[in-house]
Amino acid sequence: MRREPVSLTRHLRVYTYRAHTVLEFRGEIDIIAAAEILPLLDRITGRPGAQVVLDLRPVEFFDCSGLRLLYRARARVLAHGGRLHLVCTHPLTLRVLRVTGLSRLLPPHATPDAALAEAGAASGSW
């Protein structure tokens, strides 16, 4: 069941979707936005067995600060026995993910449903 998103900062909204916590990044994700997002990201990704979806669809700009957030989220979720999924459709952000190799560690999907469908098909890959 989806609850209405809670806007925790101007760059992050959080809601529950299909038993997963969705962190919806919004606007320009730069060093200032990353500083706002980091404490909330750490709190959510530090939970044992966290099931998290990072949704970048509303992102307009994404720099290396955003990449660090994604990598940190992945490392923390995996360290606590959870699962992390990425949703991204913006061509420039997808290119950054490919060029840096992060798309191999955290494959992007077009929608949360697509990410969760693939996760259901993969038997515990991560």
Short mmCIF file of all heavy atoms in Angstrom, two decimals, residues 65-108:
data_model
loop_
_atom_site.label_atom_id
_atom_site.label_comp_id
_atom_site.label_asym_id
_atom_site.label_seq_id
_atom_site.Cartn_x
_atom_site.Cartn_y
_atom_site.Cartn_z
N SER A 65 28.31 14.22 -6.05
CA SER A 65 27.73 14.12 -4.71
C SER A 65 26.57 13.13 -4.70
O SER A 65 26.40 12.36 -3.75
CB SER A 65 27.23 15.49 -4.23
OG SER A 65 28.29 16.41 -4.20
N GLY A 66 25.79 13.14 -5.76
CA GLY A 66 24.70 12.18 -5.89
C GLY A 66 25.22 10.77 -6.05
O GLY A 66 24.68 9.83 -5.48
N LEU A 67 26.29 10.61 -6.83
CA LEU A 67 26.90 9.28 -6.99
C LEU A 67 27.36 8.74 -5.64
O LEU A 67 27.19 7.55 -5.34
CB LEU A 67 28.08 9.35 -7.96
CG LEU A 67 27.74 9.59 -9.41
CD1 LEU A 67 29.02 9.81 -10.21
CD2 LEU A 67 26.94 8.44 -9.98
N ARG A 68 27.97 9.60 -4.84
CA ARG A 68 28.43 9.16 -3.51
C ARG A 68 27.24 8.71 -2.65
O ARG A 68 27.34 7.73 -1.91
CB ARG A 68 29.20 10.27 -2.82
CG ARG A 68 30.62 10.40 -3.33
CD ARG A 68 31.47 11.29 -2.43
NE ARG A 68 31.04 12.68 -2.44
CZ ARG A 68 31.45 13.58 -3.33
NH1 ARG A 68 32.28 13.24 -4.29
NH2 ARG A 68 31.03 14.82 -3.24
N LEU A 69 26.11 9.41 -2.75
CA LEU A 69 24.92 9.00 -2.00
C LEU A 69 24.45 7.61 -2.43
O LEU A 69 24.12 6.77 -1.58
CB LEU A 69 23.78 10.00 -2.19
CG LEU A 69 23.91 11.35 -1.52
CD1 LEU A 69 22.77 12.25 -1.95
CD2 LEU A 69 23.95 11.21 0.00
N LEU A 70 24.43 7.36 -3.73
CA LEU A 70 23.99 6.05 -4.23
C LEU A 70 24.92 4.94 -3.78
O LEU A 70 24.48 3.89 -3.32
CB LEU A 70 23.90 6.05 -5.76
CG LEU A 70 22.92 7.01 -6.41
CD1 LEU A 70 22.92 6.80 -7.92
CD2 LEU A 70 21.53 6.86 -5.84
N TYR A 71 26.22 5.18 -3.91
CA TYR A 71 27.18 4.16 -3.52
C TYR A 71 27.10 3.90 -2.02
O TYR A 71 27.14 2.76 -1.57
CB TYR A 71 28.60 4.57 -3.92
CG TYR A 71 29.57 3.45 -3.72
CD1 TYR A 71 29.67 2.41 -4.65
CD2 TYR A 71 30.36 3.39 -2.58
CE1 TYR A 71 30.53 1.35 -4.45
CE2 TYR A 71 31.23 2.34 -2.37
CZ TYR A 71 31.31 1.32 -3.31
OH TYR A 71 32.15 0.28 -3.09
N ARG A 72 26.98 4.96 -1.23
CA ARG A 72 26.86 4.82 0.23
C ARG A 72 25.60 4.04 0.60
O ARG A 72 25.63 3.16 1.45
CB ARG A 72 26.85 6.20 0.88
CG ARG A 72 26.77 6.16 2.38
CD ARG A 72 26.77 7.57 2.96
NE ARG A 72 26.73 7.57 4.38
CZ ARG A 72 27.78 7.66 5.17
NH1 ARG A 72 28.98 7.75 4.65
NH2 ARG A 72 27.65 7.64 6.48
N ALA A 73 24.49 4.38 -0.05
CA ALA A 73 23.23 3.67 0.23
C ALA A 73 23.38 2.19 -0.07
O ALA A 73 22.97 1.34 0.71
CB ALA A 73 22.10 4.27 -0.58
N ARG A 74 23.99 1.87 -1.21
CA ARG A 74 24.18 0.48 -1.60
C ARG A 74 25.03 -0.26 -0.56
O ARG A 74 24.67 -1.34 -0.10
CB ARG A 74 24.84 0.39 -2.97
CG ARG A 74 25.07 -1.04 -3.42
CD ARG A 74 25.80 -1.09 -4.75
NE ARG A 74 26.02 -2.46 -5.15
CZ ARG A 74 27.07 -3.18 -4.77
NH1 ARG A 74 28.01 -2.68 -4.00
NH2 ARG A 74 27.19 -4.44 -5.18
N ALA A 75 26.15 0.33 -0.19
CA ALA A 75 27.05 -0.31 0.77
C ALA A 75 26.36 -0.53 2.12
O ALA A 75 26.48 -1.61 2.72
CB ALA A 75 28.31 0.53 0.95
N ARG A 76 25.62 0.46 2.60
CA ARG A 76 24.96 0.34 3.90
C ARG A 76 23.84 -0.70 3.88
O ARG A 76 23.71 -1.49 4.81
CB ARG A 76 24.44 1.70 4.34
CG ARG A 76 25.56 2.67 4.71
CD ARG A 76 25.03 4.04 5.06
NE ARG A 76 24.06 4.02 6.13
CZ ARG A 76 24.35 3.94 7.43
NH1 ARG A 76 25.61 3.88 7.81
NH2 ARG A 76 23.40 3.96 8.34
N VAL A 77 23.03 -0.69 2.84
CA VAL A 77 21.93 -1.66 2.75
C VAL A 77 22.49 -3.07 2.69
O VAL A 77 22.02 -3.97 3.40
CB VAL A 77 21.02 -1.35 1.54
CG1 VAL A 77 20.09 -2.51 1.25
CG2 VAL A 77 20.21 -0.09 1.81
N LEU A 78 23.49 -3.29 1.86
CA LEU A 78 24.07 -4.64 1.75
C LEU A 78 24.74 -5.07 3.05
O LEU A 78 24.64 -6.23 3.44
CB LEU A 78 25.07 -4.69 0.60
CG LEU A 78 24.47 -4.51 -0.80
CD1 LEU A 78 25.57 -4.54 -1.85
CD2 LEU A 78 23.41 -5.54 -1.09
N ALA A 79 25.40 -4.15 3.74
CA ALA A 79 26.06 -4.47 5.01
C ALA A 79 25.05 -4.88 6.08
O ALA A 79 25.40 -5.61 7.01
CB ALA A 79 26.87 -3.27 5.49
N HIS A 80 23.82 -4.43 5.95
CA HIS A 80 22.78 -4.75 6.93
C HIS A 80 21.81 -5.81 6.43
O HIS A 80 20.71 -5.96 6.96
CB HIS A 80 22.03 -3.48 7.33
CG HIS A 80 22.88 -2.52 8.11
ND1 HIS A 80 23.57 -1.48 7.52
CD2 HIS A 80 23.18 -2.47 9.43
CE1 HIS A 80 24.24 -0.83 8.44
NE2 HIS A 80 24.03 -1.41 9.61
N GLY A 81 22.19 -6.52 5.37
CA GLY A 81 21.37 -7.64 4.88
C GLY A 81 20.11 -7.24 4.15
O GLY A 81 19.17 -8.02 4.07
N GLY A 82 20.09 -6.06 3.59
CA GLY A 82 18.90 -5.59 2.88
C GLY A 82 19.05 -5.67 1.37
O GLY A 82 19.98 -6.29 0.85
N ARG A 83 18.10 -5.02 0.70
CA ARG A 83 18.10 -4.97 -0.77
C ARG A 83 17.86 -3.54 -1.21
O ARG A 83 17.05 -2.83 -0.61
CB ARG A 83 17.03 -5.89 -1.33
CG ARG A 83 17.35 -7.36 -1.07
CD ARG A 83 16.32 -8.26 -1.67
NE ARG A 83 16.32 -8.09 -3.12
CZ ARG A 83 16.67 -9.04 -3.98
NH1 ARG A 83 17.05 -10.21 -3.54
NH2 ARG A 83 16.62 -8.83 -5.27
N LEU A 84 18.56 -3.16 -2.28
CA LEU A 84 18.44 -1.81 -2.80
C LEU A 84 18.17 -1.86 -4.29
O LEU A 84 18.80 -2.65 -5.02
CB LEU A 84 19.75 -1.04 -2.54
CG LEU A 84 19.77 0.42 -2.99
CD1 LEU A 84 18.85 1.26 -2.11
CD2 LEU A 84 21.19 0.96 -2.91
N HIS A 85 17.24 -1.03 -4.75
CA HIS A 85 16.87 -0.96 -6.17
C HIS A 85 16.94 0.49 -6.61
O HIS A 85 16.65 1.39 -5.83
CB HIS A 85 15.45 -1.50 -6.37
CG HIS A 85 15.25 -2.83 -5.72
ND1 HIS A 85 15.72 -4.00 -6.25
CD2 HIS A 85 14.64 -3.15 -4.55
CE1 HIS A 85 15.39 -5.00 -5.44
NE2 HIS A 85 14.76 -4.50 -4.41
N LEU A 86 17.27 0.70 -7.87
CA LEU A 86 17.40 2.05 -8.42
C LEU A 86 16.40 2.24 -9.55
O LEU A 86 16.27 1.39 -10.43
CB LEU A 86 18.82 2.27 -8.94
CG LEU A 86 19.10 3.63 -9.58
CD1 LEU A 86 18.95 4.76 -8.56
CD2 LEU A 86 20.49 3.64 -10.19
N VAL A 87 15.73 3.40 -9.53
CA VAL A 87 14.83 3.80 -10.60
C VAL A 87 15.37 5.11 -11.16
O VAL A 87 15.58 6.07 -10.42
CB VAL A 87 13.39 3.99 -10.08
CG1 VAL A 87 12.49 4.52 -11.18
CG2 VAL A 87 12.86 2.69 -9.50
N CYS A 88 15.63 5.11 -12.47
CA CYS A 88 16.18 6.30 -13.12
C CYS A 88 15.84 6.26 -14.60
O CYS A 88 16.01 5.22 -15.25
CB CYS A 88 17.70 6.33 -12.94
SG CYS A 88 18.48 7.76 -13.70
N THR A 89 15.37 7.40 -15.13
CA THR A 89 15.04 7.48 -16.55
C THR A 89 15.70 8.66 -17.26
O THR A 89 15.64 8.74 -18.48
CB THR A 89 13.51 7.59 -16.75
OG1 THR A 89 13.04 8.72 -16.01
CG2 THR A 89 12.80 6.33 -16.27
N HIS A 90 16.32 9.55 -16.53
CA HIS A 90 16.91 10.73 -17.13
C HIS A 90 18.16 10.35 -17.93
O HIS A 90 19.09 9.75 -17.38
CB HIS A 90 17.27 11.75 -16.04
CG HIS A 90 17.60 13.10 -16.59
ND1 HIS A 90 18.81 13.40 -17.15
CD2 HIS A 90 16.85 14.22 -16.67
CE1 HIS A 90 18.82 14.66 -17.54
NE2 HIS A 90 17.63 15.17 -17.26
N PRO A 91 18.21 10.67 -19.21
CA PRO A 91 19.33 10.23 -20.07
C PRO A 91 20.72 10.65 -19.56
O PRO A 91 21.66 9.86 -19.62
CB PRO A 91 19.03 10.87 -21.43
CG PRO A 91 17.57 11.15 -21.41
CD PRO A 91 17.21 11.41 -19.98
N LEU A 92 20.86 11.88 -19.08
CA LEU A 92 22.18 12.32 -18.62
C LEU A 92 22.59 11.61 -17.34
O LEU A 92 23.76 11.25 -17.17
CB LEU A 92 22.20 13.84 -18.42
CG LEU A 92 22.09 14.66 -19.71
CD1 LEU A 92 22.03 16.14 -19.40
CD2 LEU A 92 23.23 14.34 -20.66
N THR A 93 21.65 11.40 -16.44
CA THR A 93 21.97 10.68 -15.21
C THR A 93 22.31 9.23 -15.52
O THR A 93 23.27 8.67 -14.97
CB THR A 93 20.80 10.76 -14.21
OG1 THR A 93 20.50 12.14 -13.97
CG2 THR A 93 21.14 10.08 -12.90
N LEU A 94 21.57 8.63 -16.44
CA LEU A 94 21.88 7.25 -16.85
C LEU A 94 23.28 7.18 -17.45
O LEU A 94 24.02 6.22 -17.19
CB LEU A 94 20.84 6.74 -17.85
CG LEU A 94 19.47 6.45 -17.28
CD1 LEU A 94 18.46 6.23 -18.41
CD2 LEU A 94 19.51 5.25 -16.34
N ARG A 95 23.64 8.18 -18.22
CA ARG A 95 24.98 8.20 -18.82
C ARG A 95 26.05 8.27 -17.74
O ARG A 95 27.06 7.57 -17.80
CB ARG A 95 25.11 9.37 -19.78
CG ARG A 95 26.44 9.40 -20.46
CD ARG A 95 26.47 10.44 -21.55
NE ARG A 95 27.76 10.38 -22.21
CZ ARG A 95 28.46 11.44 -22.53
NH1 ARG A 95 27.99 12.65 -22.27
NH2 ARG A 95 29.62 11.30 -23.12
N VAL A 96 25.86 9.12 -16.73
CA VAL A 96 26.81 9.23 -15.63
C VAL A 96 26.93 7.89 -14.91
O VAL A 96 28.04 7.45 -14.58
CB VAL A 96 26.40 10.35 -14.65
CG1 VAL A 96 27.21 10.31 -13.38
CG2 VAL A 96 26.53 11.72 -15.32
N LEU A 97 25.82 7.23 -14.69
CA LEU A 97 25.84 5.92 -14.03
C LEU A 97 26.63 4.90 -14.86
O LEU A 97 27.40 4.11 -14.31
CB LEU A 97 24.43 5.42 -13.78
CG LEU A 97 23.59 6.23 -12.78
CD1 LEU A 97 22.15 5.75 -12.79
CD2 LEU A 97 24.19 6.13 -11.39
N ARG A 98 26.45 4.93 -16.18
CA ARG A 98 27.17 3.99 -17.06
C ARG A 98 28.66 4.31 -17.09
O ARG A 98 29.50 3.42 -16.96
CB ARG A 98 26.59 4.03 -18.47
CG ARG A 98 25.38 3.16 -18.66
CD ARG A 98 25.02 2.99 -20.13
NE ARG A 98 24.85 4.27 -20.84
CZ ARG A 98 23.72 4.96 -20.88
NH1 ARG A 98 22.65 4.52 -20.27
NH2 ARG A 98 23.66 6.10 -21.55
N VAL A 99 29.00 5.57 -17.29
CA VAL A 99 30.41 5.98 -17.42
C VAL A 99 31.20 5.65 -16.15
O VAL A 99 32.35 5.23 -16.22
CB VAL A 99 30.50 7.48 -17.77
CG1 VAL A 99 31.91 8.01 -17.60
CG2 VAL A 99 30.01 7.73 -19.17
N THR A 100 30.58 5.83 -15.00
CA THR A 100 31.27 5.58 -13.74
C THR A 100 31.26 4.10 -13.34
O THR A 100 31.96 3.71 -12.42
CB THR A 100 30.63 6.39 -12.60
OG1 THR A 100 29.26 5.99 -12.45
CG2 THR A 100 30.73 7.88 -12.85
N GLY A 101 30.45 3.30 -14.03
CA GLY A 101 30.36 1.88 -13.69
C GLY A 101 29.36 1.57 -12.59
O GLY A 101 29.15 0.41 -12.26
N LEU A 102 28.75 2.59 -12.02
CA LEU A 102 27.79 2.35 -10.94
C LEU A 102 26.56 1.59 -11.43
O LEU A 102 25.95 0.84 -10.67
CB LEU A 102 27.39 3.66 -10.28
CG LEU A 102 26.61 3.56 -8.98
CD1 LEU A 102 27.35 2.72 -7.94
CD2 LEU A 102 26.33 4.93 -8.41
N SER A 103 26.25 1.71 -12.71
CA SER A 103 25.07 1.00 -13.25
C SER A 103 25.27 -0.52 -13.21
O SER A 103 24.30 -1.27 -13.23
CB SER A 103 24.75 1.46 -14.66
OG SER A 103 25.82 1.17 -15.53
N ARG A 104 26.52 -0.99 -13.17
CA ARG A 104 26.75 -2.43 -13.03
C ARG A 104 26.48 -2.90 -11.61
O ARG A 104 26.03 -4.02 -11.39
CB ARG A 104 28.18 -2.78 -13.43
CG ARG A 104 28.42 -2.71 -14.93
CD ARG A 104 29.82 -3.15 -15.24
NE ARG A 104 30.76 -2.38 -14.42
CZ ARG A 104 31.77 -1.67 -14.90
NH1 ARG A 104 32.02 -1.66 -16.18
NH2 ARG A 104 32.55 -0.99 -14.10
N LEU A 105 26.78 -2.05 -10.64
CA LEU A 105 26.55 -2.40 -9.24
C LEU A 105 25.11 -2.18 -8.82
O LEU A 105 24.60 -2.86 -7.94
CB LEU A 105 27.45 -1.55 -8.33
CG LEU A 105 28.94 -1.71 -8.50
CD1 LEU A 105 29.68 -0.72 -7.62
CD2 LEU A 105 29.36 -3.14 -8.17
N LEU A 106 24.48 -1.21 -9.46
CA LEU A 106 23.13 -0.82 -9.10
C LEU A 106 22.35 -0.56 -10.39
O LEU A 106 22.21 0.57 -10.83
CB LEU A 106 23.19 0.45 -8.23
CG LEU A 106 21.95 0.89 -7.49
CD1 LEU A 106 21.39 -0.22 -6.61
CD2 LEU A 106 22.27 2.11 -6.65
N PRO A 107 21.87 -1.63 -11.04
CA PRO A 107 21.22 -1.47 -12.34
C PRO A 107 19.96 -0.60 -12.25
O PRO A 107 19.11 -0.83 -11.40
CB PRO A 107 20.85 -2.90 -12.74
CG PRO A 107 21.64 -3.79 -11.85
CD PRO A 107 21.94 -3.01 -10.61
N PRO A 108 19.86 0.39 -13.13
CA PRO A 108 18.68 1.27 -13.11
C PRO A 108 17.48 0.63 -13.83
O PRO A 108 17.65 -0.14 -14.77
CB PRO A 108 19.15 2.51 -13.86
CG PRO A 108 20.25 2.03 -14.74
CD PRO A 108 20.87 0.85 -14.07
#
